[in-house]
Amino acid sequence: MQALITGGTKGIGAAIVHSLLTHEIDVHVNARNVDDLKSQYAELTQTFPSRQITWSANDLSTPEGVNSLVDDYQGAHESLDILVNNAGVFLPGMTTEEEEGSLAKMIETNLYSAYHLTRALLPLVLKSDNGHIFNMCSIASKVAYPNGGSYSISKFALYGYTKVLREELKEQGVKVTAILPGATWSNSWAGVDLPKSRLMEANDIAISVMSAIQMSPSAVVEEIVVRPQLGDL
Ligand SMILES: NC(=O)c1ccc[n+]([C@@H]2O[C@H](COP(=O)([O-])OP(=O)(O)OC[C@H]3O[C@@H](n4cnc5c(N)ncnc54)[C@H](OP(=O)(O)O)[C@@H]3O)[C@@H](O)[C@H]2O)c1
């Protein structure tokens, strides 16, 4: 099987990449930073010498970036089974006070990237017998919280898009899953004064994704809601 993971060099995306490779699924990794992509590639090809690993650097917050990923991907692959729309950005703030452009930036990165990439690559996913699209939503897709601001708006929208996609693709044999994690250790939490055990590990999310992939063709996990044991932050 072949997967494409956006924002796959760090945090939750990197954990999903690792988990897919462990389960003998080939991966194409996207992110913006070329050095990160190269060093991850070097490490993964050592750990998983028999897997096919490819990557490309594209900024998915722009239509040009999405188009370049589509070109890179289709230049290297003729099939796509699993698409993980994971790339996202979190700019904290209140809608009444945040910097002008915050909403646009997060809608572009967190919603439009998934929308446009899915539309462009859907013909390949439809050809697969195991087609599965994951959208990385958030607990902030369901619950508004102080300082969540425009991030929450973008994740509510992505969750809404995921529900629409699920209905649209139900009859076409493609599974659609919304992932809604609570606080999970990653760069987004760098510098926060909390014990590691208060947040989830990125691999916890990867485990839940793998479990959704492993179900029989007659079952789909529509939503994965995972929270820290002690609840939301
Ligand atoms: N961590 C949490 O607590 C949490 C909870 C709920 C949901 N989420 C969601 O989970 C996803 C991953 O979060 P994370 O915490 O693992 O983030 P992270 O550690 O900051 O990693 C983000 C990944 O996305 C890439 N990326 C960012 N902007 C991009 C763009 N415009 N185009 C392409 N790639 C881009 C980054 O690489 P480059 O910088 O090189 O582009 C990186 O690989 C996000 O959608 C986030 O909203 C996170």
Side-chain angles (χ1 to χ4, degrees), residues 6-14 29-34 36-37 57-62 69 85-90 105 108-110 113 136-140 151 154-155 158 179-189 199-200 202 205:
T6 69
T9 51
K10 296 178 203 144
I12 297 172
V29 182
N30 149 269
R32 290 166 301 180
N33 187 299
V34 175
D36 288 347
L37 284 158
N58 329 86
D59 180 351
L60 301 185
S61 68
T62 68
L69 172 56
N85 288 307
N86 167 75
V89 63
F90 171 57
K105 173 137 186 84
E108 284 159 5
T109 310
N110 300 349
S113 61
M136 190 57 68
C137 304
S138 171
I139 290 296
Y151 177 76
S154 72
K155 290 292 181 177
L158 181 62
I179 315 168
L180 296 94
T184 310
W185 270 115
S186 73
N187 282 358
S188 317
W189 292 93
L199 283 79
M200 293 184 286
I205 313 308

Side-chain angles (χ1 to χ4, degrees), residues 148-179:
S150 290
Y151 177 76
S152 208
I153 298 174
S154 72
K155 290 292 181 177
F156 265 75
L158 181 62
Y159 182 48
Y161 168 51
T162 311
K163 284 174 170 283
V164 170
L165 201 58
R166 160 75 181 130
E167 290 309 313
E168 291 178 351
L169 299 181
K170 198 179 253 181
E171 304 286 342
Q172 301 190 59
V174 175
K175 299 186 183 187
V176 178
T177 302
I179 315 168

Side-chain angles (χ1 to χ4, degrees), residues 16-226:
I16 294 172
V17 165
H18 202 275
S19 185
L20 290 165
L21 289 167
T22 303
H23 289 84
E24 303 190 346
I25 297 172
D26 294 333
V27 297
H28 184 97
V29 182
N30 149 269
R32 290 166 301 180
N33 187 299
V34 175
D35 292 340
D36 288 347
L37 284 158
K38 281 184 179 167
S39 64
Q40 182 194 41
Y41 176 78
E43 189 193 317
L44 292 176
T45 46
Q46 286 242 319
T47 315
F48 301 100
S50 55
R51 295 266 59 83
Q52 198 199 12
I53 302 166
T54 51
W55 59 267
S56 55
N58 329 86
D59 180 351
L60 301 185
S61 68
T62 68
E64 298 75 31
V66 173
N67 290 340
S68 75
L69 172 56
V70 172
D71 289 346
D72 291 341
Y73 185 83
Q74 291 183 329
H77 304 283
E78 288 178 353
S79 66
L80 178 59
D81 303 294
I82 299 163
L83 171 60
V84 184
N85 288 307
N86 167 75
V89 63
F90 171 57
L91 306 173
M94 288 165 60
T95 57
T96 47
E97 293 174 4
E98 66 196 4
E99 210 175 288
E100 189 64 40
S102 276
L103 174 62
K105 173 137 186 84
M106 285 188 276
I107 290 283
E108 284 159 5
T109 310
N110 300 349
L111 175 68
Y112 290 169
S113 61
Y115 172 86
H116 292 300
L117 188 63
T118 302
R119 279 166 59 92
L121 292 178
L122 188 60
L124 277 187
V125 180
L126 284 169
K127 282 194 216 160
S128 165
D129 292 334
N130 303 291
H132 201 149
I133 297 168
F134 290 87
N135 285 345
M136 190 57 68
C137 304
S138 171
I139 290 296
S141 297
K142 286 194 173 212
V143 182
Y145 56 91
N147 229 31
S150 290
Y151 177 76
S152 208
I153 298 174
S154 72
K155 290 292 181 177
F156 265 75
L158 181 62
Y159 182 48
Y161 168 51
T162 311
K163 284 174 170 283
V164 170
L165 201 58
R166 160 75 181 130
E167 290 309 313
E168 291 178 351
L169 299 181
K170 198 179 253 181
E171 304 286 342
Q172 301 190 59
V174 175
K175 299 186 183 187
V176 178
T177 302
I179 315 168
L180 296 94
T184 310
W185 270 115
S186 73
N187 282 358
S188 317
W189 292 93
V192 172
D193 188 19
L194 284 168
K196 274 217 145 185
S197 57
R198 181 63 183 85
L199 283 79
M200 293 184 286
E201 296 173 16
N203 191 47
D204 291 323
I205 313 308
I207 289 169
S208 66
V209 168
M210 270 324 303
S211 131
I213 290 171
Q214 287 166 337
M215 292 200 182
S216 78
S218 54
V220 61
V221 178
E222 292 185 330
E223 294 187 13
I224 297 171
V225 178
V226 212

